[in-house]
Amino acid sequence: MTEPEQPPPRRFPRRVYGVGTEPDARFSLANERTFLAWIRTALALIAAGVALEAFVLPIAPGFRLGASLLLILLGVLAPMQAWFGWMKAEQSLRLGRPLPSPNLAGPIGGGVVVAGLLLAIGILLQ
């Protein structure tokens, strides 16, 4: 008879690793890749927001500033989606539950659309 598997004591966060059983490593690694994809998205959004204001572009200044600030704000939200999405997905994997939907993906996607519209209008008005 084997004893129940105990999680290593130093795994962080305990809120995630302290529940359920260890899932197939492929699923945990896929969850980590999703986390890293959100981090890459955050870096791209922040870089785009900074680049809009750093370079002289033929875009009406008010629309350019609005799009820039919106992209930077979305870049701040994306890591939150990464962290909380990873935690919820890992907990679901450990407990054998259905995977949760990404809560902030809709607002982030909508924000990118708004930023694109601001830039398009800014180009047309220039």
Side-chain angles (χ1 to χ4, degrees):
M1 180 175 213
T2 60
E3 293 186 24
E5 189 176 315
Q6 294 294 324
R10 291 188 176 183
R11 287 179 90 178
F12 175 80
R14 293 290 303 157
R15 182 173 160 191
V16 171
Y17 292 113
V19 299
T21 59
E22 193 70 24
D24 187 333
R26 293 175 293 177
F27 299 131
S28 290
L29 293 172
N31 193 24
E32 287 181 25
R33 286 192 296 273
T34 303
F35 172 86
L36 292 173
W38 277 109
I39 297 299
R40 285 191 303 272
T41 301
L43 290 173
L45 289 167
I46 292 170
V50 170
L52 279 176
E53 283 301 310
F55 297 114
V56 178
L57 300 171
I59 302 170
F63 288 96
R64 188 182 65 223
L65 179 62
S68 175
L69 291 175
L70 180 57
L71 289 172
I72 291 171
L73 173 67
L74 295 172
V76 171
L77 288 178
M80 293 172 58
Q81 171 57 47
W83 178 251
F84 292 111
W86 172 82
M87 282 184 23
K88 287 172 45 180
E90 193 67 26
Q91 283 177 332
S92 295
L93 288 171
R94 297 181 71 82
L95 295 172
R97 295 182 183 159
L99 293 177
S101 61
N103 291 338
L104 292 177
I108 290 172
V112 170
V113 169
V114 171
L117 291 173
L118 286 173
L119 292 173
I121 293 169
I123 289 171
L124 292 174
L125 294 179
Q126 184 63 24

